[in-house]
Amino acid sequence: MYDCLCLLPHANASHSLIHYLNLHKEMHIASYTSIVRSLDDVLAYERHFRPFIKTVGVATKDYDTPDIVKKVLSACRRKLIIQTVRDPVECLVAQINNRKFIFRIREVLGQEVPTNGSIENDIVDATTRYIAHGEAERVYEAHSFDEHIIVDVADLKADLIESSLKRLWMAICGNADDAQLISKNYYTP
């Protein structure tokens, strides 16, 4: 069973936060992309890391897909859930920029670019699927965990990141000592 669940909705610093957390030698968070590829055996990732790592967690992005939610929840101990939140306007802009970026890459690579993508559709998609922190909290049953930590994406920037990460490392594995980090150069203030 995973020791903690990181609920990191799209455009809420998911890749950065997982990278930063995984700099600690005593813990590892399975990325969403790794988990979603093995939904038939959601605990496979945990089994491979557990012999070597004291604390193993799992990250998820999607809260609008009931079968993924059910599988991820069934694989968690329900002790700690860490949820990121972001200013809704920043989140919306990040989602739209990401979609446009992907469309442009597909175009450059000569791949088919979806034609159903109006800015209005992008806005509706972002506001219904990605800017619903309360819905993510409800679907993943945050109330059923012993501890629920909410991290504002703004706390992962510049002068706040070091204290934010130390607080998270303490909560996840009980140790925020610099000697336990594989690198001290994990951010640039």
Side-chain angles (χ1 to χ4, degrees):
M1 299 289 280
Y2 291 102
D3 299 306
C4 66
L5 170 64
C6 291
L7 177 53
L8 314 170
H10 295 277
N12 278 265
S14 55
H15 295 290
S16 298
L17 184 56
I18 290 170
H19 169 74
Y20 297 147
L21 291 175
N22 286 342
L23 291 173
H24 199 288
K25 295 175 186 175
E26 293 182 3
M27 57 158 290
H28 190 81
I29 304 295
S31 71
Y32 174 73
T33 51
S34 297
I35 293 302
V36 82
R37 281 187 247 141
S38 62
L39 284 174
D40 291 334
D41 184 8
V42 74
L43 288 169
Y45 199 94
E46 189 267 350
R47 279 194 313 275
H48 291 297
F49 273 85
R50 183 64 68 189
F52 311 103
I53 303 290
K54 176 182 164 187
T55 304
V56 182
V58 62
T60 185
K61 289 176 172 266
D62 289 328
Y63 52 87
D64 59 337
T65 310
D67 60 325
I68 292 175
V69 170
K70 184 178 179 181
K71 286 181 180 183
V72 169
L73 274 177
S74 71
C76 293
R77 294 186 196 279
R78 306 275 180 127
K79 291 189 181 216
L80 173 64
I81 184 170
I82 298 168
Q83 179 182 1
T84 54
V85 296
R86 187 177 194 177
D87 175 271
V89 174
E90 286 182 17
C91 192
L92 175 67
V93 170
Q95 281 301 314
I96 292 171
N97 283 341
N98 183 61
R99 185 174 170 130
K100 299 302 178 197
F101 178 73
I102 290 170
F103 283 7
R104 179 67 180 131
I105 286 181
R106 291 180 69 86
E107 187 177 80
V108 167
L109 293 174
Q111 297 176 351
E112 184 179 339
V113 178
T115 56
N116 62 347
S118 69
I119 190 70
E120 291 82 7
N121 287 343
D122 290 350
I123 291 169
V124 167
D125 186 49
T127 56
T128 57
R129 291 197 314 145
Y130 302 125
I131 309 175
H133 301 112
E135 181 65 6
E137 182 178 329
R138 183 191 69 75
V139 169
Y140 275 97
E141 303 172 5
H143 68 279
S144 70
F145 285 76
D146 294 342
E147 186 176 4
H148 182 193
I149 297 174
I150 296 176
V151 178
D152 190 321
V153 170
D155 292 336
L156 299 176
K157 296 178 183 175
D159 57 338
L160 300 175
I161 189 169
E162 186 172 7
S163 62
S164 297
L165 288 175
K166 286 186 181 271
R167 179 175 61 107
L168 291 171
W169 287 323
M170 281 300 293
I172 296 169
C173 61
N175 182 325
D177 185 13
D178 283 348
Q180 294 302 316
L181 303 181
I182 60 172
S183 169
K184 292 183 186 179
N185 301 319
Y186 53 84
Y187 69 95
T188 304

